[in-house]
Amino acid sequence: MKVGNVTVGGDALVVVESMTKTATSEIDETVEQLHRMAEAGCELARVAIPDRDAVSCFGKVRSRSPIPLVADIHFDYRLALAVLEEGADGIRINPGNLGGKVPLERVAKAVLERKVSLRVGVNAGSLETTVYVKHGGATPLALAKSAIVYVRWLEEFGVENMILSAKSNSVPVTIEAYRILSRVSDYPLHIGITEAGLATAGIVKSAVGLGILLHEGIGDCLRVSLTGPPEEEVRVGYEILKSLHLREKGPIFVSCPTCARCRVDLHAIAEKVYRAIQDIDQPITVAVMGCEVNGPGEAREADVGLACGQKSGLIFRKGEVVRKVKHDEMVEVLLAEVRSLVRNIGQGRDVNGKS
Ligand code: SF4
């Protein structure tokens, strides 16, 4: 199915989504954030529509957005109808807080008229009280069942273009909820661990939860929810997908953790190299290793690698040692090899420079 010009589900690659964090009525700030998100690789953005002010600014934001926008609606179904008039590419609702079947039917009719997608997003924090009580809490079954009940209602109203999500901030609950959903439904699934937290804990929770689901083939679209900038959510999303070989985006960077055998400031070297290669689009592997133990092996496996030694370092390119360099030249020579490789790839040559 399509959200704007982005395909979600079927054989399409897993889509990376994020959400703006500016006030939607701050048009310039929101558009600037959307551009930063798109630059980081965000393919689909969600924009909260909490009130009429946000609705009235949405059209301007949409017309300047580089990526399709899904309007996030809670409580007041009329905001969904109004924002569709302003050109939303999709709507995300949690039907549990819209006020029942009648408002849901109004939203259904509007998305059908506009031929846009509808995300049915159930969250542990906003489950209907009756469901919550019946299941003794926000259990996986409660989340999945909730979503499916709404889906059946929407199907009665004729809606087919649906994406489902059932998120919790608990990794095991979320995983199990999506497993159930994937067994009982064929709709594309938007996956995420909601309210995952600040950087380190949030990244770990997201990587564990999304990683397990994606490895089981569950998930068509993902959002990493962090208390931090949306660009960071996007970068983490790609790192998760790259680690499972589900998407390629830019270099894969390998560096060792260092230990007492390391005779260089590998942390500083790795940081320098990592930062210097962030503008590269090609999925090349670059390795920076601290000593002779695992260094040559990993550097040889990479497209370009550095294995540091006691007094010098070996630069590898596609399995071959191409230079032996002094410590103070290692970064410069490594980056020159990386750039030369990227140029070759850009000219349609293979990694050894052959056409
Ligand atoms: S490559 Fe060498 S320095 Fe790096 S962790 Fe392994 S043994 Fe330690």
Side-chain angles (χ1 to χ4, degrees):
M1 64 172 294
K2 289 273 192 188
V3 184
N5 59 0
V6 175
T7 304
V8 181
D11 293 334
L13 295 171
V14 179
V15 170
V16 176
E17 183 176 332
S18 184
M19 188 165 182
T20 53
K21 304 187 177 195
T22 49
T24 306
S25 49
E26 300 284 348
I27 298 171
D28 288 342
E29 273 184 32
T30 305
V31 170
E32 279 161 28
Q33 189 164 66
L34 283 164
H35 278 272
R36 286 197 299 277
M37 289 159 69
E39 223 163 87
C42 185
E43 295 160 312
L44 205 53
R46 195 147 46 103
V47 175
I49 304 295
D51 50 33
R52 289 274 162 187
D53 261 4
V55 171
S56 65
C57 296
F58 182 87
K60 289 200 179 81
V61 172
R62 177 63 194 98
S63 67
R64 293 167 56 193
S65 172
I67 47 179
L69 301 185
V70 175
D72 190 76
I73 308 288
H74 289 278
F75 309 119
D76 186 352
Y77 76 96
R78 292 166 302 185
L79 295 174
L81 310 189
V83 83
L84 280 168
E85 298 290 322
E86 298 293 329
D89 298 281
I91 296 286
R92 182 269 164 139
I93 51 168
N94 178 350
N97 65 27
L98 274 195
K101 224 170 164 178
V102 174
L104 192 60
E105 186 168 11
R106 300 288 301 277
V107 175
K109 203 162 158 249
V111 295
L112 284 169
E113 270 166 20
R114 291 264 160 192
K115 296 187 173 57
V116 299
S117 65
L118 181 64
R119 169 143 80 90
V120 177
V122 172
N123 265 45
S126 52
L127 266 189
E128 261 187 288
T129 316
T130 47
V131 180
Y132 188 91
V133 171
K134 188 176 164 200
H135 290 271
T139 62
L141 195 59
L143 285 165
K145 265 193 175 174
S146 239
I148 291 300
V149 166
Y150 302 136
V151 164
R152 298 294 172 245
W153 287 358
L154 287 157
E155 284 171 339
E156 275 176 38
F157 306 142
V159 181
E160 289 174 351
N161 275 354
M162 278 185 273
I163 299 174
L164 314 187
S165 64
K167 299 186 186 178
S168 154
N169 65 27
S170 154
V171 172
V173 169
T174 306
I175 290 171
E176 205 41 49
Y178 276 104
R179 282 177 176 156
I180 298 170
L181 275 183
S182 72
R183 281 199 295 270
V184 299
S185 147
D186 288 330
Y187 290 105
L189 296 177
H190 164 115
I191 59 173
I193 306 296
T194 196
E195 296 125 19
L198 288 162
T200 305
I203 291 169
V204 170
K205 281 174 83 171
S206 299
V208 172
L210 301 188
I212 288 171
L213 286 170
L214 291 164
H215 193 58
E216 293 177 11
I218 299 172
D220 302 285
C221 177
L222 68 76
R223 188 229 171 156
V224 171
S225 302
L226 298 177
T227 309
E231 305 91 284
E232 183 62 7
E233 295 184 355
V234 174
R235 283 191 280 271
V236 174
Y238 275 105
E239 288 301 330
I240 294 171
L241 292 169
K242 278 161 65 175
S243 72
L244 290 165
H245 300 186
L246 292 172
R247 295 280 310 246
E248 289 182 338
K249 190 176 191 306
I252 295 153
F253 187 67
V254 177
S255 63
C256 84
T258 82
C259 68
R261 291 187 188 89
C262 189
R263 292 283 177 265
V264 293
D265 183 354
L266 195 82
H267 190 174
I269 293 170
E271 286 272 357
K272 263 189 212 157
V273 174
Y274 180 79
R275 284 184 201 290
I277 62 176
Q278 288 311 298
D279 61 322
I280 294 171
D281 292 329
Q282 287 92 342
I284 58 167
T285 303
V286 178
V288 172
M289 300 292 295
C291 81
E292 304 87 346
V293 175
N294 292 320
E298 289 288 354
R300 188 176 292 123
E301 287 298 309
D303 292 309
V304 181
L306 163 65
C308 301
Q310 296 275 345
K311 292 191 177 133
S312 58
L314 295 177
I315 306 286
F316 289 76
R317 179 156 161 175
K318 218 47 194 172
E320 305 288 336
V321 176
V322 288
R323 290 275 300 271
K324 183 175 179 179
V325 284
K326 291 188 199 132
H327 281 171
D328 59 358
E329 296 170 330
M330 292 188 305
V331 171
E332 198 186 319
V333 176
L334 180 77
L335 289 175
E337 283 299 332
V338 169
R339 294 289 161 196
S340 144
L341 175 78
V342 169
R343 270 196 308 279
N344 279 347
I345 297 171
Q347 290 163 1
R349 294 182 188 159
D350 68 18
V351 288
N352 300 312
K354 293 177 184 143
S355 296

